[in-house]
Amino acid sequence: MTLAALVDASGYSTAIQQKYQGLFITESKLNIQGSELPPGQYGFGFNAGDKFVVMDVGNEDVLSVPSKTDKAQQRAVPLKLVEERGAYRLYAGKKWVEIKPE
């Protein structure tokens, strides 16, 4: 089981708001754009440099992979997961990364 949710970082500095947009809690290992993420709890964010960054609870970067942009998507939504051929796309707005459970 994996849980992804957005967090309210409105009271934090702009730097924190840009880096920490959501959280992951996962019971199994995940493959995110070819990089492995072990089970645990993490923060994540899509930054302006087209990177998807995952941080541990101590705010240390654990994973950083390129994100993609879906320009064909007409209505951007805050957060959604879409299954596609045994993998999932995690969308935040029009940006997304591919996640495969292992």
Side-chain angles (χ1 to χ4, degrees), residues 36-93:
E36 288 188 2
L37 185 68
Q41 51 194 0
Y42 303 96
F44 71 83
F46 289 86
N47 68 24
D50 291 331
K51 291 279 187 184
F52 177 74
V53 180
V54 177
M55 297 134 311
D56 63 16
V57 293
N59 199 30
E60 298 294 323
D61 290 356
V62 175
L63 180 104
S64 178
V65 296
S67 65
K68 299 176 183 176
T69 302
D70 187 349
K71 294 181 179 156
Q73 187 179 28
Q74 292 182 345
R75 291 192 176 104
V77 295
L79 183 71
K80 74 176 178 179
L81 278 168
V82 177
E83 186 200 4
E84 188 168 300
R85 291 175 262 150
Y88 297 87
R89 286 184 177 186
L90 173 69
Y91 282 89

Side-chain angles (χ1 to χ4, degrees), residues 14-35:
T14 305
I16 298 293
Q17 289 177 17
Q18 291 174 352
K19 185 175 180 182
Y20 186 60
Q21 298 165 350
L23 63 90
F24 268 131
I25 300 173
T26 181
E27 294 179 335
S28 60
K29 190 181 342 179
L30 299 177
N31 183 306
I32 301 176
Q33 298 285 113
S35 296

